[in-house]
Amino acid sequence: RIVGFEQHRVRLEAEGAEMRGARQDASTVIACCCLVLLTSGLQTTAVPTGGETTSALPLFDPSRSSSANMEMSLPLRVRYSDANTELTGVVCRDDVRLGEYKGRVAFACWTTAPNQMFWSRMGNGVLGLAPRYQKQHDEDKHPLPPPMLLSLTSPKAKDSNVAGMPPKFAFMASKSAAELQMGGFVPGSVQGKMRTVQSLSTKSYTLSIGSIKIGNDFDTAQELLTFDPTDKHHHIPALLDTGSPCIMLPGSQENGKLLKSPYSLYQDHNKKWSKMFITVNGMDIGLELNREDLEVEHHTFLDEAWGTSLRPCVMPVTWAMKPPHQTPIVLGAVFFRAYNVLFDLSKSSPTVPPDIGLGKINPAYNVIGISDYAVNVKGGDGANVHRVFVQHTPTKITSKSPEEVGVANPNGHQFLAQIFMGTPRQPLRVVVDTGSPLFGLFVSPDAVGKYNGADTGVAHRRPPPLQMGAAVADDRPHPKVSNSVASTRASAKKAMGSVVKILPIIGVVVLLFLLLFLKYRRSIMLQIYYATKPEMPYR
């Protein structure tokens, strides 16, 4: 798996209600965020609907930032899971601010990409929060910038206000908003205590799952992971990925590890169920997800006659990994409605995986609102935790015909955080992605052309200030007016003269309308009265 975005493969199943999707993986089992959904077979195409996609957002413009550096000698080229799709750009450096976390970081400036206007509608970029050891070099063996969180919290960071802080964060969501908790987790956001377990991989946030059941109680629930009795290791890896919309179950038998594919068992389960039970190896208590937390709106071609229906957001993973690797389960956006997940990179290294904490969300806890945006509180370990608002619009399954189905969101994603880049600050919205370590922003090619910098790491040149003339008798300096300034003043004077000329005409027209109203005011008021009076019987 490579850094960046990836494509899901989906198809319409069972009366148009269920979707099959795919997400490719490699031996390191890395989760990436979902961008475009394309399918093969049955010619089913998944596209974002025009009504659900907002207009293009303004891209990051380094030519407007006096603190930006575009290092043209450090090119980048990242290939997606689709071998025909890649992004190219350069390494950039600039000041960034996420809530109260701020500092100077290196990041990817993507300058060329297929369907660039479509990408800009999906947001301004991606805030990758995965472990740095997932991918450290691009397709041409050039080093990739480190993750933004590790750059800001590094003890060696000179321009950061959080240098030396623990590199950990928590993420949780409701059906209307989400919250990024930097530096730890808020104790009041969870019921009971936060239980931790070590990730299976140093390159991703991966849990070891021993059981998944659906039903009304644990003892009578339907088991979806039917392991072969001869298999020695009864577990399936599960990726915690904010960039995927749904719970994704393997659509295969895991190279013989399972007696039947989990998604087939899920589809064959015809009884109404209210809960999903997940057993995580290494934890002393299981996870319990309510059906309501997993439900999303379905607007399929069959639902047009029956109206909107709410169904669990469960999709299949239809690819199969080659032995000895296993096809992972994906715990996507809907999972974070039920659990606050702590991602702790404090002790991680190339050989030591990060720690993962799971705490059931407290229903009485209010996710931070957009009006607050960011606040500081005390964390679970007594340290300061910075709460940051994240935009969250629930997934919607949409389709207008049997040949088309898609996961529709404003901007195409589930979670968008606001950051500020450059000097002066440019507000941007980026996708929060725990499946990728790379922080990258889309940059318009026109902005690259306007950029007047060099690849020496020195900030690009700004227009020189006006030269001050010699002091006169009153000891006040007088600026030397350049030709461009004089031309601007002349244009402004000419425009003001046109406004002055047209003002009398506007005054005459307004006066004429006022006189007409005064003349016919009685008939106008009577018409308004009879048009708005209530229908009452005569008495």
Side-chain angles (χ1 to χ4, degrees), residues 499-526:
V499 172
V500 171
K501 290 178 181 179
I502 201 173
L503 278 177
I505 300 174
I506 296 174
V508 171
V509 173
V510 172
L511 181 61
L512 180 61
F513 275 107
L514 180 61
L515 292 174
L516 289 173
F517 174 77
L518 293 175
K519 182 178 181 180
Y520 300 104
R521 65 185 183 278
R522 179 178 177 80
S523 60
I524 292 175
M525 298 304 293
L526 286 174

PDB file of all heavy atoms in Angstrom, residues 499-526:
ATOM      1  N   VAL A 499     -19.238  57.652 -10.480  1.00  0.00           N
ATOM      2  CA  VAL A 499     -20.232  57.452  -9.431  1.00  0.00           C
ATOM      3  C   VAL A 499     -20.939  58.753  -9.105  1.00  0.00           C
ATOM      4  O   VAL A 499     -22.172  58.809  -8.936  1.00  0.00           O
ATOM      5  CB  VAL A 499     -19.566  56.858  -8.169  1.00  0.00           C
ATOM      6  CG1 VAL A 499     -20.550  56.822  -7.007  1.00  0.00           C
ATOM      7  CG2 VAL A 499     -19.030  55.469  -8.457  1.00  0.00           C
ATOM      8  N   VAL A 500     -20.185  59.847  -9.022  1.00  0.00           N
ATOM      9  CA  VAL A 500     -20.767  61.159  -8.710  1.00  0.00           C
ATOM     10  C   VAL A 500     -21.756  61.578  -9.792  1.00  0.00           C
ATOM     11  O   VAL A 500     -22.810  62.162  -9.522  1.00  0.00           O
ATOM     12  CB  VAL A 500     -19.650  62.199  -8.529  1.00  0.00           C
ATOM     13  CG1 VAL A 500     -20.242  63.611  -8.413  1.00  0.00           C
ATOM     14  CG2 VAL A 500     -18.826  61.882  -7.292  1.00  0.00           C
ATOM     15  N   LYS A 501     -21.457  61.247 -11.058  1.00  0.00           N
ATOM     16  CA  LYS A 501     -22.342  61.634 -12.153  1.00  0.00           C
ATOM     17  C   LYS A 501     -23.662  60.874 -12.127  1.00  0.00           C
ATOM     18  O   LYS A 501     -24.704  61.414 -12.508  1.00  0.00           O
ATOM     19  CB  LYS A 501     -21.635  61.402 -13.490  1.00  0.00           C
ATOM     20  CG  LYS A 501     -20.479  62.360 -13.756  1.00  0.00           C
ATOM     21  CD  LYS A 501     -19.808  62.031 -15.085  1.00  0.00           C
ATOM     22  CE  LYS A 501     -18.622  62.971 -15.348  1.00  0.00           C
ATOM     23  NZ  LYS A 501     -17.943  62.649 -16.628  1.00  0.00           N
ATOM     24  N   ILE A 502     -23.648  59.635 -11.697  1.00  0.00           N
ATOM     25  CA  ILE A 502     -24.859  58.810 -11.755  1.00  0.00           C
ATOM     26  C   ILE A 502     -25.736  58.956 -10.515  1.00  0.00           C
ATOM     27  O   ILE A 502     -26.911  58.589 -10.533  1.00  0.00           O
ATOM     28  CB  ILE A 502     -24.471  57.323 -11.965  1.00  0.00           C
ATOM     29  CG1 ILE A 502     -25.668  56.536 -12.529  1.00  0.00           C
ATOM     30  CG2 ILE A 502     -24.010  56.683 -10.658  1.00  0.00           C
ATOM     31  CD1 ILE A 502     -25.310  55.109 -12.906  1.00  0.00           C
ATOM     32  N   LEU A 503     -25.197  59.533  -9.437  1.00  0.00           N
ATOM     33  CA  LEU A 503     -25.966  59.686  -8.200  1.00  0.00           C
ATOM     34  C   LEU A 503     -27.234  60.519  -8.391  1.00  0.00           C
ATOM     35  O   LEU A 503     -28.308  60.149  -7.884  1.00  0.00           O
ATOM     36  CB  LEU A 503     -25.086  60.281  -7.102  1.00  0.00           C
ATOM     37  CG  LEU A 503     -24.172  59.297  -6.351  1.00  0.00           C
ATOM     38  CD1 LEU A 503     -23.309  60.030  -5.337  1.00  0.00           C
ATOM     39  CD2 LEU A 503     -25.000  58.228  -5.648  1.00  0.00           C
ATOM     40  N   PRO A 504     -27.213  61.669  -9.109  1.00  0.00           N
ATOM     41  CA  PRO A 504     -28.458  62.439  -9.289  1.00  0.00           C
ATOM     42  C   PRO A 504     -29.550  61.642 -10.004  1.00  0.00           C
ATOM     43  O   PRO A 504     -30.733  61.763  -9.679  1.00  0.00           O
ATOM     44  CB  PRO A 504     -28.003  63.642 -10.119  1.00  0.00           C
ATOM     45  CG  PRO A 504     -26.556  63.779  -9.815  1.00  0.00           C
ATOM     46  CD  PRO A 504     -26.051  62.384  -9.651  1.00  0.00           C
ATOM     47  N   ILE A 505     -29.145  60.817 -10.982  1.00  0.00           N
ATOM     48  CA  ILE A 505     -30.129  60.014 -11.713  1.00  0.00           C
ATOM     49  C   ILE A 505     -30.803  59.024 -10.773  1.00  0.00           C
ATOM     50  O   ILE A 505     -32.027  58.837 -10.797  1.00  0.00           O
ATOM     51  CB  ILE A 505     -29.457  59.291 -12.892  1.00  0.00           C
ATOM     52  CG1 ILE A 505     -28.839  60.313 -13.856  1.00  0.00           C
ATOM     53  CG2 ILE A 505     -30.441  58.395 -13.617  1.00  0.00           C
ATOM     54  CD1 ILE A 505     -28.036  59.683 -14.975  1.00  0.00           C
ATOM     55  N   ILE A 506     -29.989  58.373  -9.923  1.00  0.00           N
ATOM     56  CA  ILE A 506     -30.553  57.426  -8.955  1.00  0.00           C
ATOM     57  C   ILE A 506     -31.507  58.138  -8.008  1.00  0.00           C
ATOM     58  O   ILE A 506     -32.601  57.630  -7.679  1.00  0.00           O
ATOM     59  CB  ILE A 506     -29.420  56.732  -8.169  1.00  0.00           C
ATOM     60  CG1 ILE A 506     -28.547  55.889  -9.116  1.00  0.00           C
ATOM     61  CG2 ILE A 506     -29.983  55.854  -7.057  1.00  0.00           C
ATOM     62  CD1 ILE A 506     -27.341  55.282  -8.457  1.00  0.00           C
ATOM     63  N   GLY A 507     -31.157  59.353  -7.570  1.00  0.00           N
ATOM     64  CA  GLY A 507     -32.021  60.107  -6.676  1.00  0.00           C
ATOM     65  C   GLY A 507     -33.364  60.448  -7.305  1.00  0.00           C
ATOM     66  O   GLY A 507     -34.409  60.355  -6.667  1.00  0.00           O
ATOM     67  N   VAL A 508     -33.347  60.810  -8.589  1.00  0.00           N
ATOM     68  CA  VAL A 508     -34.588  61.145  -9.289  1.00  0.00           C
ATOM     69  C   VAL A 508     -35.488  59.923  -9.402  1.00  0.00           C
ATOM     70  O   VAL A 508     -36.711  59.991  -9.201  1.00  0.00           O
ATOM     71  CB  VAL A 508     -34.264  61.723 -10.682  1.00  0.00           C
ATOM     72  CG1 VAL A 508     -35.542  61.868 -11.512  1.00  0.00           C
ATOM     73  CG2 VAL A 508     -33.574  63.076 -10.550  1.00  0.00           C
ATOM     74  N   VAL A 509     -34.917  58.766  -9.723  1.00  0.00           N
ATOM     75  CA  VAL A 509     -35.710  57.536  -9.856  1.00  0.00           C
ATOM     76  C   VAL A 509     -36.351  57.160  -8.521  1.00  0.00           C
ATOM     77  O   VAL A 509     -37.537  56.802  -8.454  1.00  0.00           O
ATOM     78  CB  VAL A 509     -34.820  56.388 -10.382  1.00  0.00           C
ATOM     79  CG1 VAL A 509     -35.582  55.060 -10.351  1.00  0.00           C
ATOM     80  CG2 VAL A 509     -34.332  56.682 -11.793  1.00  0.00           C
ATOM     81  N   VAL A 510     -35.601  57.249  -7.425  1.00  0.00           N
ATOM     82  CA  VAL A 510     -36.140  56.930  -6.106  1.00  0.00           C
ATOM     83  C   VAL A 510     -37.270  57.881  -5.743  1.00  0.00           C
ATOM     84  O   VAL A 510     -38.323  57.479  -5.212  1.00  0.00           O
ATOM     85  CB  VAL A 510     -35.018  56.970  -5.054  1.00  0.00           C
ATOM     86  CG1 VAL A 510     -35.596  56.826  -3.642  1.00  0.00           C
ATOM     87  CG2 VAL A 510     -33.989  55.871  -5.304  1.00  0.00           C
ATOM     88  N   LEU A 511     -37.081  59.164  -6.031  1.00  0.00           N
ATOM     89  CA  LEU A 511     -38.119  60.156  -5.726  1.00  0.00           C
ATOM     90  C   LEU A 511     -39.388  59.886  -6.523  1.00  0.00           C
ATOM     91  O   LEU A 511     -40.513  60.014  -6.010  1.00  0.00           O
ATOM     92  CB  LEU A 511     -37.581  61.560  -6.020  1.00  0.00           C
ATOM     93  CG  LEU A 511     -38.543  62.733  -5.735  1.00  0.00           C
ATOM     94  CD1 LEU A 511     -38.916  62.747  -4.257  1.00  0.00           C
ATOM     95  CD2 LEU A 511     -37.894  64.057  -6.136  1.00  0.00           C
ATOM     96  N   LEU A 512     -39.247  59.477  -7.793  1.00  0.00           N
ATOM     97  CA  LEU A 512     -40.392  59.181  -8.629  1.00  0.00           C
ATOM     98  C   LEU A 512     -41.204  58.013  -8.063  1.00  0.00           C
ATOM     99  O   LEU A 512     -42.447  58.067  -7.990  1.00  0.00           O
ATOM    100  CB  LEU A 512     -39.922  58.854 -10.055  1.00  0.00           C
ATOM    101  CG  LEU A 512     -41.016  58.506 -11.073  1.00  0.00           C
ATOM    102  CD1 LEU A 512     -41.975  59.680 -11.243  1.00  0.00           C
ATOM    103  CD2 LEU A 512     -40.388  58.146 -12.420  1.00  0.00           C
ATOM    104  N   PHE A 513     -40.525  56.971  -7.638  1.00  0.00           N
ATOM    105  CA  PHE A 513     -41.209  55.829  -7.036  1.00  0.00           C
ATOM    106  C   PHE A 513     -41.922  56.227  -5.746  1.00  0.00           C
ATOM    107  O   PHE A 513     -43.029  55.759  -5.448  1.00  0.00           O
ATOM    108  CB  PHE A 513     -40.206  54.689  -6.759  1.00  0.00           C
ATOM    109  CG  PHE A 513     -39.960  53.801  -7.937  1.00  0.00           C
ATOM    110  CD1 PHE A 513     -38.766  53.867  -8.638  1.00  0.00           C
ATOM    111  CD2 PHE A 513     -40.936  52.904  -8.368  1.00  0.00           C
ATOM    112  CE1 PHE A 513     -38.544  53.062  -9.732  1.00  0.00           C
ATOM    113  CE2 PHE A 513     -40.714  52.087  -9.458  1.00  0.00           C
ATOM    114  CZ  PHE A 513     -39.515  52.164 -10.157  1.00  0.00           C
ATOM    115  N   LEU A 514     -41.331  57.117  -4.975  1.00  0.00           N
ATOM    116  CA  LEU A 514     -41.937  57.556  -3.728  1.00  0.00           C
ATOM    117  C   LEU A 514     -43.217  58.347  -3.992  1.00  0.00           C
ATOM    118  O   LEU A 514     -44.240  58.157  -3.321  1.00  0.00           O
ATOM    119  CB  LEU A 514     -40.936  58.405  -2.936  1.00  0.00           C
ATOM    120  CG  LEU A 514     -41.416  58.952  -1.594  1.00  0.00           C
ATOM    121  CD1 LEU A 514     -41.787  57.816  -0.658  1.00  0.00           C
ATOM    122  CD2 LEU A 514     -40.337  59.831  -0.953  1.00  0.00           C
ATOM    123  N   LEU A 515     -43.213  59.221  -5.007  1.00  0.00           N
ATOM    124  CA  LEU A 515     -44.397  59.998  -5.348  1.00  0.00           C
ATOM    125  C   LEU A 515     -45.525  59.105  -5.849  1.00  0.00           C
ATOM    126  O   LEU A 515     -46.699  59.306  -5.528  1.00  0.00           O
ATOM    127  CB  LEU A 515     -44.031  61.049  -6.406  1.00  0.00           C
ATOM    128  CG  LEU A 515     -43.095  62.185  -5.936  1.00  0.00           C
ATOM    129  CD1 LEU A 515     -42.699  63.071  -7.107  1.00  0.00           C
ATOM    130  CD2 LEU A 515     -43.768  63.014  -4.840  1.00  0.00           C
ATOM    131  N   LEU A 516     -45.172  58.082  -6.657  1.00  0.00           N
ATOM    132  CA  LEU A 516     -46.186  57.154  -7.144  1.00  0.00           C
ATOM    133  C   LEU A 516     -46.840  56.396  -5.989  1.00  0.00           C
ATOM    134  O   LEU A 516     -48.058  56.155  -5.980  1.00  0.00           O
ATOM    135  CB  LEU A 516     -45.573  56.183  -8.145  1.00  0.00           C
ATOM    136  CG  LEU A 516     -45.178  56.782  -9.507  1.00  0.00           C
ATOM    137  CD1 LEU A 516     -44.426  55.750 -10.329  1.00  0.00           C
ATOM    138  CD2 LEU A 516     -46.421  57.253 -10.264  1.00  0.00           C
ATOM    139  N   PHE A 517     -46.030  55.986  -5.017  1.00  0.00           N
ATOM    140  CA  PHE A 517     -46.572  55.275  -3.863  1.00  0.00           C
ATOM    141  C   PHE A 517     -47.527  56.161  -3.067  1.00  0.00           C
ATOM    142  O   PHE A 517     -48.599  55.728  -2.641  1.00  0.00           O
ATOM    143  CB  PHE A 517     -45.430  54.786  -2.973  1.00  0.00           C
ATOM    144  CG  PHE A 517     -45.909  54.169  -1.685  1.00  0.00           C
ATOM    145  CD1 PHE A 517     -46.433  52.893  -1.673  1.00  0.00           C
ATOM    146  CD2 PHE A 517     -45.847  54.880  -0.498  1.00  0.00           C
ATOM    147  CE1 PHE A 517     -46.887  52.324  -0.496  1.00  0.00           C
ATOM    148  CE2 PHE A 517     -46.303  54.322   0.684  1.00  0.00           C
ATOM    149  CZ  PHE A 517     -46.818  53.036   0.684  1.00  0.00           C
ATOM    150  N   LEU A 518     -47.146  57.437  -2.867  1.00  0.00           N
ATOM    151  CA  LEU A 518     -48.003  58.347  -2.119  1.00  0.00           C
ATOM    152  C   LEU A 518     -49.323  58.595  -2.840  1.00  0.00           C
ATOM    153  O   LEU A 518     -50.384  58.733  -2.223  1.00  0.00           O
ATOM    154  CB  LEU A 518     -47.270  59.663  -1.880  1.00  0.00           C
ATOM    155  CG  LEU A 518     -46.058  59.604  -0.942  1.00  0.00           C
ATOM    156  CD1 LEU A 518     -45.352  60.953  -0.880  1.00  0.00           C
ATOM    157  CD2 LEU A 518     -46.479  59.171   0.452  1.00  0.00           C
ATOM    158  N   LYS A 519     -49.285  58.610  -4.149  1.00  0.00           N
ATOM    159  CA  LYS A 519     -50.500  58.867  -4.928  1.00  0.00           C
ATOM    160  C   LYS A 519     -51.463  57.689  -4.863  1.00  0.00           C
ATOM    161  O   LYS A 519     -52.691  57.871  -4.740  1.00  0.00           O
ATOM    162  CB  LYS A 519     -50.122  59.182  -6.373  1.00  0.00           C
ATOM    163  CG  LYS A 519     -51.322  59.514  -7.248  1.00  0.00           C
ATOM    164  CD  LYS A 519     -50.879  59.874  -8.658  1.00  0.00           C
ATOM    165  CE  LYS A 519     -52.091  60.238  -9.538  1.00  0.00           C
ATOM    166  NZ  LYS A 519     -51.683  60.603 -10.916  1.00  0.00           N
ATOM    167  N   TYR A 520     -50.949  56.493  -4.925  1.00  0.00           N
ATOM    168  CA  TYR A 520     -51.796  55.299  -4.975  1.00  0.00           C
ATOM    169  C   TYR A 520     -51.724  54.469  -3.694  1.00  0.00           C
ATOM    170  O   TYR A 520     -52.013  53.287  -3.688  1.00  0.00           O
ATOM    171  CB  TYR A 520     -51.389  54.416  -6.168  1.00  0.00           C
ATOM    172  CG  TYR A 520     -51.522  55.106  -7.508  1.00  0.00           C
ATOM    173  CD1 TYR A 520     -50.392  55.566  -8.170  1.00  0.00           C
ATOM    174  CD2 TYR A 520     -52.766  55.299  -8.096  1.00  0.00           C
ATOM    175  CE1 TYR A 520     -50.498  56.207  -9.405  1.00  0.00           C
ATOM    176  CE2 TYR A 520     -52.885  55.930  -9.323  1.00  0.00           C
ATOM    177  CZ  TYR A 520     -51.746  56.391  -9.974  1.00  0.00           C
ATOM    178  OH  TYR A 520     -51.854  57.009 -11.179  1.00  0.00           O
ATOM    179  N   ARG A 521     -51.346  55.100  -2.622  1.00  0.00           N
ATOM    180  CA  ARG A 521     -51.124  54.341  -1.397  1.00  0.00           C
ATOM    181  C   ARG A 521     -52.397  53.682  -0.875  1.00  0.00           C
ATOM    182  O   ARG A 521     -52.377  52.572  -0.333  1.00  0.00           O
ATOM    183  CB  ARG A 521     -50.513  55.236  -0.309  1.00  0.00           C
ATOM    184  CG  ARG A 521     -51.420  56.367   0.165  1.00  0.00           C
ATOM    185  CD  ARG A 521     -50.660  57.254   1.152  1.00  0.00           C
ATOM    186  NE  ARG A 521     -51.497  58.313   1.702  1.00  0.00           N
ATOM    187  CZ  ARG A 521     -51.753  59.453   1.088  1.00  0.00           C
ATOM    188  NH1 ARG A 521     -51.228  59.678  -0.113  1.00  0.00           N
ATOM    189  NH2 ARG A 521     -52.517  60.376   1.652  1.00  0.00           N
ATOM    190  N   ARG A 522     -53.571  54.344  -1.059  1.00  0.00           N
ATOM    191  CA  ARG A 522     -54.819  53.775  -0.544  1.00  0.00           C
ATOM    192  C   ARG A 522     -55.148  52.458  -1.248  1.00  0.00           C
ATOM    193  O   ARG A 522     -55.465  51.440  -0.603  1.00  0.00           O
ATOM    194  CB  ARG A 522     -55.968  54.774  -0.702  1.00  0.00           C
ATOM    195  CG  ARG A 522     -57.305  54.237  -0.202  1.00  0.00           C
ATOM    196  CD  ARG A 522     -58.403  55.283  -0.322  1.00  0.00           C
ATOM    197  NE  ARG A 522     -59.678  54.743   0.085  1.00  0.00           N
ATOM    198  CZ  ARG A 522     -60.090  54.603   1.332  1.00  0.00           C
ATOM    199  NH1 ARG A 522     -59.272  54.995   2.333  1.00  0.00           N
ATOM    200  NH2 ARG A 522     -61.265  54.095   1.627  1.00  0.00           N
ATOM    201  N   SER A 523     -55.106  52.443  -2.565  1.00  0.00           N
ATOM    202  CA  SER A 523     -55.416  51.214  -3.302  1.00  0.00           C
ATOM    203  C   SER A 523     -54.387  50.116  -3.021  1.00  0.00           C
ATOM    204  O   SER A 523     -54.722  48.932  -2.939  1.00  0.00           O
ATOM    205  CB  SER A 523     -55.464  51.505  -4.805  1.00  0.00           C
ATOM    206  OG  SER A 523     -54.218  51.998  -5.260  1.00  0.00           O
ATOM    207  N   ILE A 524     -53.134  50.511  -2.838  1.00  0.00           N
ATOM    208  CA  ILE A 524     -52.096  49.514  -2.547  1.00  0.00           C
ATOM    209  C   ILE A 524     -52.356  48.858  -1.197  1.00  0.00           C
ATOM    210  O   ILE A 524     -52.294  47.624  -1.051  1.00  0.00           O
ATOM    211  CB  ILE A 524     -50.699  50.170  -2.581  1.00  0.00           C
ATOM    212  CG1 ILE A 524     -50.350  50.600  -4.011  1.00  0.00           C
ATOM    213  CG2 ILE A 524     -49.639  49.191  -2.053  1.00  0.00           C
ATOM    214  CD1 ILE A 524     -49.036  51.370  -4.103  1.00  0.00           C
ATOM    215  N   MET A 525     -52.700  49.660  -0.196  1.00  0.00           N
ATOM    216  CA  MET A 525     -52.923  49.122   1.133  1.00  0.00           C
ATOM    217  C   MET A 525     -54.173  48.236   1.170  1.00  0.00           C
ATOM    218  O   MET A 525     -54.210  47.209   1.853  1.00  0.00           O
ATOM    219  CB  MET A 525     -53.056  50.252   2.166  1.00  0.00           C
ATOM    220  CG  MET A 525     -51.808  51.109   2.291  1.00  0.00           C
ATOM    221  SD  MET A 525     -50.333  50.160   2.694  1.00  0.00           S
ATOM    222  CE  MET A 525     -50.751  49.613   4.335  1.00  0.00           C
ATOM    223  N   LEU A 526     -55.221  48.614   0.407  1.00  0.00           N
ATOM    224  CA  LEU A 526     -56.410  47.783   0.358  1.00  0.00           C
ATOM    225  C   LEU A 526     -56.138  46.429  -0.284  1.00  0.00           C
ATOM    226  O   LEU A 526     -56.622  45.381   0.158  1.00  0.00           O
ATOM    227  CB  LEU A 526     -57.527  48.516  -0.413  1.00  0.00           C
ATOM    228  CG  LEU A 526     -58.200  49.674   0.332  1.00  0.00           C
ATOM    229  CD1 LEU A 526     -59.177  50.400  -0.580  1.00  0.00           C
ATOM    230  CD2 LEU A 526     -58.932  49.169   1.579  1.00  0.00           C
TER     231      LEU A 526
END
